[in-house]
Amino acid sequence: MWPTCVLVVVASPCLHSVARPAADSVAQMKIYVLHENDEWLPPFADALDAEGVAWEPWFLDGGVIDLTTPPPEGVFYSRMSASSHTRDHARAKDHTRSVLSWLEAWGRRVVNGRRVLELEMSKVDQLTALAAAGLRVPRTLAVVGTDQLVEQARRFPSPFVTKHNQGGKGLGVQRFDHGDAVADALASGDVQEPADHTWLLQEYVEPAGGFITRVEIVGGEFLYALAADTSHGFELCPADACQVHDAFCPSGEHAARIFSLREGFADQIVGRYLRFCASLGIEIAGVEFIETADGRRVTYDVNTNTNYNAVVDAQAGRSGAVEVARFLVGLLHEHTQGVRPAWRHAPAGLG
């Protein structure tokens, strides 16, 4: 007999702590949204509600999983973010790893599963995977431990940028013109240790026109491409929630100046990104690249927890959140094999 095995993670008292299966009936199947940021959820919640489908958010930042108990049936969409630790959700990453392993072991349909989570959490993983797929990436050193950062920076060709390996929102990205400037920044407390203690030293690639491009992919298909103006800083997050709280993502009229649709974008790199994502099981993503003055396309980031900007959605005439919801609903219908699911909104919480 298989012995009972229970994984225990210390939970916040406000969280539902036990994952329990839903009713066995196929008619009770739902969409489950795994996340750690309530502020990013409303556009997706509205879109799922508008589709009239049963769904449930699972907030993951500590809890208990009985590994011998089957998860509920349904479709599971992981929206875990590499920047979760900046919202005091340091346990979210490992909680999600455990939940995804549990779901996949039981054969559940997961969108952006366990392998994709590792890409979200590590820029080293992203860059090595992109390079292996034949895509051009910036020259990069991974420096494990801040004690070695200055020495390596003094040897690295300048100008360069530093990044956190586990980032999100452009976390920790700063440009430097020489290694001594990194030493000064560390001494003054202007840079913080990465969550996983791994820095990236990366060549600075000058973008032609002063903007970067992000290619949005939903359900393995191209949604649209947006441009982000880098003159306002490096911490660029297109989500409306970011624009309220982050200095580099201003709200209101400023958002339109930072983010805009790249209308009619049809570069061949889109097809390469679609093939790259398909090869790794990435079904929803935003892939970012820089166009240089000499025509190179340098890819530097894969965001598998992609968010959408209302300004760009309006310009494109397509809502990213709505497209995600429709993709998930389609998967749910496929999974239920023609059996109509319960058309009601489910209560929040895991369990």
mmCIF file of all heavy atoms in Angstrom, residues 81-102:
data_model
loop_
_atom_site.group_PDB
_atom_site.id
_atom_site.type_symbol
_atom_site.label_atom_id
_atom_site.label_comp_id
_atom_site.label_asym_id
_atom_site.label_seq_id
_atom_site.Cartn_x
_atom_site.Cartn_y
_atom_site.Cartn_z
ATOM 1 N N SER A 81 4.475 34.567 -10.252
ATOM 2 C CA SER A 81 5.383 35.590 -10.755
ATOM 3 C C SER A 81 6.738 35.518 -10.062
ATOM 4 O O SER A 81 6.834 35.257 -8.859
ATOM 5 C CB SER A 81 4.776 36.982 -10.521
ATOM 6 O OG SER A 81 5.735 37.992 -10.777
ATOM 7 N N ALA A 82 7.782 35.790 -10.823
ATOM 8 C CA ALA A 82 9.132 35.835 -10.267
ATOM 9 C C ALA A 82 9.312 36.967 -9.271
ATOM 10 O O ALA A 82 10.226 36.942 -8.446
ATOM 11 C CB ALA A 82 10.154 35.971 -11.391
ATOM 12 N N SER A 83 8.444 37.964 -9.314
ATOM 13 C CA SER A 83 8.558 39.098 -8.387
ATOM 14 C C SER A 83 7.723 38.910 -7.130
ATOM 15 O O SER A 83 7.530 39.850 -6.364
ATOM 16 C CB SER A 83 8.145 40.394 -9.086
ATOM 17 O OG SER A 83 6.788 40.341 -9.498
ATOM 18 N N SER A 84 7.232 37.698 -6.871
ATOM 19 C CA SER A 84 6.349 37.465 -5.721
ATOM 20 C C SER A 84 7.003 37.857 -4.401
ATOM 21 O O SER A 84 6.322 38.342 -3.485
ATOM 22 C CB SER A 84 5.919 35.997 -5.678
ATOM 23 O OG SER A 84 7.038 35.139 -5.621
ATOM 24 N N HIS A 85 8.319 37.681 -4.287
ATOM 25 C CA HIS A 85 9.004 38.011 -3.033
ATOM 26 C C HIS A 85 8.977 39.506 -2.731
ATOM 27 O O HIS A 85 9.113 39.899 -1.574
ATOM 28 C CB HIS A 85 10.453 37.511 -3.077
ATOM 29 C CG HIS A 85 11.270 38.115 -4.173
ATOM 30 N ND1 HIS A 85 11.089 37.788 -5.501
ATOM 31 C CD2 HIS A 85 12.272 39.031 -4.149
ATOM 32 C CE1 HIS A 85 11.959 38.463 -6.238
ATOM 33 N NE2 HIS A 85 12.672 39.230 -5.453
ATOM 34 N N THR A 86 8.787 40.347 -3.746
ATOM 35 C CA THR A 86 8.715 41.792 -3.517
ATOM 36 C C THR A 86 7.394 42.200 -2.888
ATOM 37 O O THR A 86 7.256 43.338 -2.439
ATOM 38 C CB THR A 86 8.910 42.569 -4.832
ATOM 39 O OG1 THR A 86 7.767 42.369 -5.688
ATOM 40 C CG2 THR A 86 10.163 42.118 -5.561
ATOM 41 N N ARG A 87 6.434 41.290 -2.839
ATOM 42 C CA ARG A 87 5.139 41.537 -2.195
ATOM 43 C C ARG A 87 5.018 40.744 -0.901
ATOM 44 O O ARG A 87 3.912 40.434 -0.449
ATOM 45 C CB ARG A 87 4.005 41.186 -3.171
ATOM 46 C CG ARG A 87 3.923 42.137 -4.358
ATOM 47 C CD ARG A 87 2.851 41.735 -5.366
ATOM 48 N NE ARG A 87 3.222 40.538 -6.116
ATOM 49 C CZ ARG A 87 4.019 40.546 -7.186
ATOM 50 N NH1 ARG A 87 4.522 41.693 -7.636
ATOM 51 N NH2 ARG A 87 4.326 39.425 -7.827
ATOM 52 N N ASP A 88 6.177 40.384 -0.313
ATOM 53 C CA ASP A 88 6.236 39.610 0.934
ATOM 54 C C ASP A 88 5.614 38.229 0.791
ATOM 55 O O ASP A 88 5.077 37.675 1.753
ATOM 56 C CB ASP A 88 5.561 40.374 2.081
ATOM 57 C CG ASP A 88 6.278 41.660 2.432
ATOM 58 O OD1 ASP A 88 7.524 41.679 2.350
ATOM 59 O OD2 ASP A 88 5.602 42.654 2.759
ATOM 60 N N HIS A 89 5.692 37.666 -0.415
ATOM 61 C CA HIS A 89 5.202 36.317 -0.664
ATOM 62 C C HIS A 89 6.390 35.421 -1.024
ATOM 63 O O HIS A 89 6.433 34.812 -2.088
ATOM 64 C CB HIS A 89 4.164 36.312 -1.792
ATOM 65 C CG HIS A 89 2.958 37.136 -1.485
ATOM 66 N ND1 HIS A 89 2.174 37.718 -2.462
ATOM 67 C CD2 HIS A 89 2.394 37.483 -0.297
ATOM 68 C CE1 HIS A 89 1.186 38.395 -1.897
ATOM 69 N NE2 HIS A 89 1.298 38.256 -0.591
ATOM 70 N N ALA A 90 7.349 35.336 -0.110
ATOM 71 C CA ALA A 90 8.574 34.596 -0.381
ATOM 72 C C ALA A 90 8.342 33.103 -0.526
ATOM 73 O O ALA A 90 9.138 32.402 -1.155
ATOM 74 C CB ALA A 90 9.588 34.854 0.733
ATOM 75 N N ARG A 91 7.245 32.584 0.033
ATOM 76 C CA ARG A 91 6.978 31.147 -0.041
ATOM 77 C C ARG A 91 6.211 30.762 -1.302
ATOM 78 O O ARG A 91 6.032 29.575 -1.593
ATOM 79 C CB ARG A 91 6.175 30.711 1.188
ATOM 80 C CG ARG A 91 6.889 30.948 2.500
ATOM 81 C CD ARG A 91 5.958 30.758 3.678
ATOM 82 N NE ARG A 91 4.788 31.626 3.603
ATOM 83 C CZ ARG A 91 4.027 31.926 4.650
ATOM 84 N NH1 ARG A 91 4.318 31.434 5.833
ATOM 85 N NH2 ARG A 91 2.983 32.703 4.523
ATOM 86 N N ALA A 92 5.732 31.747 -2.035
ATOM 87 C CA ALA A 92 4.840 31.471 -3.165
ATOM 88 C C ALA A 92 5.512 30.602 -4.227
ATOM 89 O O ALA A 92 4.900 29.686 -4.782
ATOM 90 C CB ALA A 92 4.362 32.783 -3.779
ATOM 91 N N LYS A 93 6.772 30.893 -4.519
ATOM 92 C CA LYS A 93 7.483 30.150 -5.570
ATOM 93 C C LYS A 93 7.529 28.658 -5.245
ATOM 94 O O LYS A 93 7.163 27.817 -6.077
ATOM 95 C CB LYS A 93 8.897 30.708 -5.718
ATOM 96 C CG LYS A 93 9.807 29.898 -6.612
ATOM 97 C CD LYS A 93 11.182 30.537 -6.712
ATOM 98 C CE LYS A 93 11.915 30.520 -5.383
ATOM 99 N NZ LYS A 93 13.300 31.037 -5.507
ATOM 100 N N ASP A 94 7.963 28.325 -4.031
ATOM 101 C CA ASP A 94 8.107 26.915 -3.679
ATOM 102 C C ASP A 94 6.761 26.247 -3.438
ATOM 103 O O ASP A 94 6.604 25.046 -3.717
ATOM 104 C CB ASP A 94 9.002 26.781 -2.455
ATOM 105 C CG ASP A 94 10.437 27.160 -2.769
ATOM 106 O OD1 ASP A 94 10.976 26.654 -3.776
ATOM 107 O OD2 ASP A 94 11.019 27.971 -2.031
ATOM 108 N N HIS A 95 5.782 27.002 -2.947
ATOM 109 C CA HIS A 95 4.439 26.446 -2.818
ATOM 110 C C HIS A 95 3.900 26.058 -4.193
ATOM 111 O O HIS A 95 3.333 24.976 -4.386
ATOM 112 C CB HIS A 95 3.529 27.465 -2.146
ATOM 113 C CG HIS A 95 2.199 26.909 -1.731
ATOM 114 N ND1 HIS A 95 1.244 27.677 -1.097
ATOM 115 C CD2 HIS A 95 1.638 25.675 -1.866
ATOM 116 C CE1 HIS A 95 0.168 26.933 -0.861
ATOM 117 N NE2 HIS A 95 0.391 25.718 -1.324
ATOM 118 N N THR A 96 4.105 26.943 -5.166
ATOM 119 C CA THR A 96 3.612 26.666 -6.516
ATOM 120 C C THR A 96 4.347 25.483 -7.137
ATOM 121 O O THR A 96 3.740 24.656 -7.836
ATOM 122 C CB THR A 96 3.754 27.912 -7.404
ATOM 123 O OG1 THR A 96 3.095 29.008 -6.773
ATOM 124 C CG2 THR A 96 3.139 27.680 -8.774
ATOM 125 N N ARG A 97 5.643 25.388 -6.916
ATOM 126 C CA ARG A 97 6.387 24.231 -7.409
ATOM 127 C C ARG A 97 5.745 22.929 -6.910
ATOM 128 O O ARG A 97 5.558 21.975 -7.667
ATOM 129 C CB ARG A 97 7.835 24.301 -6.937
ATOM 130 C CG ARG A 97 8.710 25.245 -7.738
ATOM 131 C CD ARG A 97 10.084 25.350 -7.120
ATOM 132 N NE ARG A 97 11.025 26.030 -8.007
ATOM 133 C CZ ARG A 97 12.061 26.749 -7.597
ATOM 134 N NH1 ARG A 97 12.298 26.869 -6.291
ATOM 135 N NH2 ARG A 97 12.862 27.332 -8.445
ATOM 136 N N SER A 98 5.432 22.903 -5.621
ATOM 137 C CA SER A 98 4.849 21.698 -5.039
ATOM 138 C C SER A 98 3.473 21.403 -5.619
ATOM 139 O O SER A 98 3.151 20.259 -5.952
ATOM 140 C CB SER A 98 4.764 21.851 -3.516
ATOM 141 O OG SER A 98 6.041 22.006 -2.949
ATOM 142 N N VAL A 99 2.651 22.445 -5.741
ATOM 143 C CA VAL A 99 1.299 22.254 -6.267
ATOM 144 C C VAL A 99 1.354 21.770 -7.722
ATOM 145 O O VAL A 99 0.616 20.848 -8.108
ATOM 146 C CB VAL A 99 0.477 23.551 -6.147
ATOM 147 C CG1 VAL A 99 -0.820 23.463 -6.944
ATOM 148 C CG2 VAL A 99 0.162 23.838 -4.673
ATOM 149 N N LEU A 100 2.215 22.364 -8.531
ATOM 150 C CA LEU A 100 2.303 21.961 -9.936
ATOM 151 C C LEU A 100 2.814 20.523 -10.065
ATOM 152 O O LEU A 100 2.345 19.762 -10.921
ATOM 153 C CB LEU A 100 3.196 22.921 -10.715
ATOM 154 C CG LEU A 100 2.651 24.344 -10.891
ATOM 155 C CD1 LEU A 100 3.671 25.205 -11.634
ATOM 156 C CD2 LEU A 100 1.319 24.345 -11.622
ATOM 157 N N SER A 101 3.773 20.151 -9.237
ATOM 158 C CA SER A 101 4.248 18.771 -9.268
ATOM 159 C C SER A 101 3.120 17.809 -8.916
ATOM 160 O O SER A 101 2.965 16.748 -9.544
ATOM 161 C CB SER A 101 5.409 18.593 -8.285
ATOM 162 O OG SER A 101 6.540 19.325 -8.694
ATOM 163 N N TRP A 102 2.334 18.173 -7.927
ATOM 164 C CA TRP A 102 1.175 17.367 -7.504
ATOM 165 C C TRP A 102 0.151 17.256 -8.630
ATOM 166 O O TRP A 102 -0.309 16.168 -8.963
ATOM 167 C CB TRP A 102 0.591 18.019 -6.260
ATOM 168 C CG TRP A 102 -0.667 17.453 -5.694
ATOM 169 C CD1 TRP A 102 -0.902 16.169 -5.302
ATOM 170 C CD2 TRP A 102 -1.865 18.185 -5.421
ATOM 171 N NE1 TRP A 102 -2.175 16.054 -4.783
ATOM 172 C CE2 TRP A 102 -2.783 17.277 -4.846
ATOM 173 C CE3 TRP A 102 -2.245 19.515 -5.583
ATOM 174 C CZ2 TRP A 102 -4.062 17.655 -4.449
ATOM 175 C CZ3 TRP A 102 -3.504 19.904 -5.177
ATOM 176 C CH2 TRP A 102 -4.410 18.981 -4.624
#
